[in-house]
PDB file of all heavy atoms in Angstrom:
ATOM      1  N   SER K  26      76.393  91.057  94.507  1.00 38.00           N
ATOM      2  CA  SER K  26      76.379  92.188  95.437  1.00 38.00           C
ATOM      3  C   SER K  26      77.135  93.368  94.848  1.00 38.00           C
ATOM      4  O   SER K  26      78.175  93.208  94.224  1.00 38.00           O
ATOM      5  CB  SER K  26      77.024  91.780  96.764  1.00 38.00           C
ATOM      6  OG  SER K  26      76.271  90.771  97.386  1.00 38.00           O
ATOM      7  N   TYR K  27      76.613  94.578  95.078  1.00 40.00           N
ATOM      8  CA  TYR K  27      77.238  95.810  94.614  1.00 40.00           C
ATOM      9  C   TYR K  27      77.397  96.732  95.808  1.00 40.00           C
ATOM     10  O   TYR K  27      76.463  96.993  96.538  1.00 40.00           O
ATOM     11  CB  TYR K  27      76.363  96.489  93.552  1.00 40.00           C
ATOM     12  CG  TYR K  27      76.899  97.813  93.080  1.00 40.00           C
ATOM     13  CD1 TYR K  27      77.929  97.873  92.157  1.00 40.00           C
ATOM     14  CD2 TYR K  27      76.382  98.998  93.579  1.00 40.00           C
ATOM     15  CE1 TYR K  27      78.416  99.083  91.721  1.00 40.00           C
ATOM     16  CE2 TYR K  27      76.871 100.215  93.147  1.00 40.00           C
ATOM     17  CZ  TYR K  27      77.887 100.255  92.216  1.00 40.00           C
ATOM     18  OH  TYR K  27      78.377 101.467  91.793  1.00 40.00           O
ATOM     19  N   GLY K  28      78.598  97.237  95.982  1.00 42.00           N
ATOM     20  CA  GLY K  28      78.847  98.149  97.092  1.00 42.00           C
ATOM     21  C   GLY K  28      80.168  98.849  96.898  1.00 42.00           C
ATOM     22  O   GLY K  28      80.723  98.857  95.811  1.00 42.00           O
ATOM     23  N   ASP K  29      80.723  99.418  97.960  1.00 44.00           N
ATOM     24  CA  ASP K  29      81.962 100.170  97.845  1.00 44.00           C
ATOM     25  C   ASP K  29      83.184  99.271  97.819  1.00 44.00           C
ATOM     26  O   ASP K  29      84.278  99.710  97.495  1.00 44.00           O
ATOM     27  CB  ASP K  29      82.095 101.157  99.025  1.00 44.00           C
ATOM     28  CG  ASP K  29      81.016 102.226  98.965  1.00 44.00           C
ATOM     29  OD1 ASP K  29      80.578 102.542  97.841  1.00 44.00           O
ATOM     30  OD2 ASP K  29      80.626 102.717 100.030  1.00 44.00           O
ATOM     31  N   GLY K  30      83.008  98.013  98.136  1.00 45.00           N
ATOM     32  CA  GLY K  30      84.166  97.146  98.259  1.00 45.00           C
ATOM     33  C   GLY K  30      84.440  96.323  97.022  1.00 45.00           C
ATOM     34  O   GLY K  30      84.240  96.746  95.895  1.00 45.00           O
ATOM     35  N   ASP K  31      84.852  95.106  97.242  1.00 48.00           N
ATOM     36  CA  ASP K  31      85.277  94.196  96.189  1.00 48.00           C
ATOM     37  C   ASP K  31      84.112  93.832  95.278  1.00 48.00           C
ATOM     38  O   ASP K  31      82.974  93.763  95.689  1.00 48.00           O
ATOM     39  CB  ASP K  31      85.838  92.934  96.866  1.00 48.00           C
ATOM     40  CG  ASP K  31      86.483  91.995  95.889  1.00 48.00           C
ATOM     41  OD1 ASP K  31      86.625  92.384  94.715  1.00 48.00           O
ATOM     42  OD2 ASP K  31      86.832  90.881  96.321  1.00 48.00           O
ATOM     43  N   TYR K  32      84.426  93.599  93.990  1.00 44.00           N
ATOM     44  CA  TYR K  32      83.432  93.126  93.041  1.00 44.00           C
ATOM     45  C   TYR K  32      83.604  91.651  92.781  1.00 44.00           C
ATOM     46  O   TYR K  32      83.191  91.152  91.762  1.00 44.00           O
ATOM     47  CB  TYR K  32      83.549  93.891  91.716  1.00 44.00           C
ATOM     48  CG  TYR K  32      82.908  95.235  91.766  1.00 44.00           C
ATOM     49  CD1 TYR K  32      83.615  96.338  92.197  1.00 44.00           C
ATOM     50  CD2 TYR K  32      81.582  95.401  91.421  1.00 44.00           C
ATOM     51  CE1 TYR K  32      83.020  97.575  92.244  1.00 44.00           C
ATOM     52  CE2 TYR K  32      80.969  96.647  91.475  1.00 44.00           C
ATOM     53  CZ  TYR K  32      81.700  97.727  91.893  1.00 44.00           C
ATOM     54  OH  TYR K  32      81.108  98.955  91.957  1.00 44.00           O
ATOM     55  N   GLY K  33      84.216  90.949  93.687  1.00 43.00           N
ATOM     56  CA  GLY K  33      84.414  89.512  93.523  1.00 43.00           C
ATOM     57  C   GLY K  33      83.100  88.777  93.593  1.00 43.00           C
ATOM     58  O   GLY K  33      82.064  89.335  93.936  1.00 43.00           O
ATOM     59  N   PRO K  34      83.128  87.490  93.257  1.00 37.00           N
ATOM     60  CA  PRO K  34      81.879  86.730  93.214  1.00 37.00           C
ATOM     61  C   PRO K  34      81.283  86.508  94.595  1.00 37.00           C
ATOM     62  O   PRO K  34      81.847  85.811  95.425  1.00 37.00           O
ATOM     63  CB  PRO K  34      82.306  85.398  92.569  1.00 37.00           C
ATOM     64  CG  PRO K  34      83.761  85.291  92.871  1.00 37.00           C
ATOM     65  CD  PRO K  34      84.289  86.684  92.904  1.00 37.00           C
ATOM     66  N   LYS K  35      80.135  87.146  94.850  1.00 37.00           N
ATOM     67  CA  LYS K  35      79.416  86.977  96.113  1.00 37.00           C
ATOM     68  C   LYS K  35      77.973  86.639  95.766  1.00 37.00           C
ATOM     69  O   LYS K  35      77.060  87.414  95.997  1.00 37.00           O
ATOM     70  CB  LYS K  35      79.495  88.254  96.957  1.00 37.00           C
ATOM     71  CG  LYS K  35      80.922  88.644  97.340  1.00 37.00           C
ATOM     72  CD  LYS K  35      80.936  89.942  98.107  1.00 37.00           C
ATOM     73  CE  LYS K  35      82.338  90.354  98.482  1.00 37.00           C
ATOM     74  NZ  LYS K  35      82.376  91.667  99.137  1.00 37.00           N
ATOM     75  N   MET K  36      77.802  85.509  95.124  1.00 36.00           N
ATOM     76  CA  MET K  36      76.496  85.152  94.596  1.00 36.00           C
ATOM     77  C   MET K  36      75.573  84.592  95.674  1.00 36.00           C
ATOM     78  O   MET K  36      75.986  83.830  96.528  1.00 36.00           O
ATOM     79  CB  MET K  36      76.644  84.119  93.478  1.00 36.00           C
ATOM     80  CG  MET K  36      77.355  84.654  92.257  1.00 36.00           C
ATOM     81  SD  MET K  36      76.346  85.879  91.409  1.00 36.00           S
ATOM     82  CE  MET K  36      77.448  86.277  90.059  1.00 36.00           C
ATOM     83  N   SER K  37      74.320  85.002  95.601  1.00 38.00           N
ATOM     84  CA  SER K  37      73.275  84.404  96.419  1.00 38.00           C
ATOM     85  C   SER K  37      72.096  84.148  95.503  1.00 38.00           C
ATOM     86  O   SER K  37      72.058  84.603  94.374  1.00 38.00           O
ATOM     87  CB  SER K  37      72.883  85.327  97.581  1.00 38.00           C
ATOM     88  OG  SER K  37      72.393  86.551  97.094  1.00 38.00           O
ATOM     89  N   VAL K  38      71.105  83.437  95.991  1.00 37.00           N
ATOM     90  CA  VAL K  38      69.951  83.102  95.170  1.00 37.00           C
ATOM     91  C   VAL K  38      68.703  83.702  95.793  1.00 37.00           C
ATOM     92  O   VAL K  38      68.497  83.594  96.995  1.00 37.00           O
ATOM     93  CB  VAL K  38      69.795  81.570  95.041  1.00 37.00           C
ATOM     94  CG1 VAL K  38      68.567  81.226  94.213  1.00 37.00           C
ATOM     95  CG2 VAL K  38      71.050  80.962  94.420  1.00 37.00           C
ATOM     96  N   ALA K  39      67.895  84.356  94.978  1.00 37.00           N
ATOM     97  CA  ALA K  39      66.660  84.966  95.477  1.00 37.00           C
ATOM     98  C   ALA K  39      65.533  84.620  94.525  1.00 37.00           C
ATOM     99  O   ALA K  39      65.739  84.475  93.326  1.00 37.00           O
ATOM    100  CB  ALA K  39      66.815  86.484  95.574  1.00 37.00           C
ATOM    101  N   THR K  40      64.338  84.502  95.060  1.00 32.00           N
ATOM    102  CA  THR K  40      63.181  84.248  94.216  1.00 32.00           C
ATOM    103  C   THR K  40      62.885  85.487  93.385  1.00 32.00           C
ATOM    104  O   THR K  40      62.893  86.595  93.885  1.00 32.00           O
ATOM    105  CB  THR K  40      61.963  83.913  95.090  1.00 32.00           C
ATOM    106  OG1 THR K  40      62.301  82.802  95.916  1.00 32.00           O
ATOM    107  CG2 THR K  40      60.761  83.562  94.233  1.00 32.00           C
ATOM    108  N   ALA K  41      62.654  85.286  92.090  1.00 35.00           N
ATOM    109  CA  ALA K  41      62.421  86.404  91.182  1.00 35.00           C
ATOM    110  C   ALA K  41      61.245  87.253  91.657  1.00 35.00           C
ATOM    111  O   ALA K  41      60.181  86.736  91.968  1.00 35.00           O
ATOM    112  CB  ALA K  41      62.139  85.876  89.779  1.00 35.00           C
ATOM    113  N   GLY K  42      61.466  88.593  91.737  1.00 36.00           N
ATOM    114  CA  GLY K  42      60.408  89.517  92.115  1.00 36.00           C
ATOM    115  C   GLY K  42      60.146  89.598  93.605  1.00 36.00           C
ATOM    116  O   GLY K  42      59.228  90.284  94.014  1.00 36.00           O
TER     117      GLY K  42
END
Side-chain angles (χ1 to χ4, degrees):
S26 296
Y27 177 79
D29 294 331
D31 188 8
Y32 280 88
K35 299 177 181 176
M36 294 291 180
S37 61
V38 179
T40 304

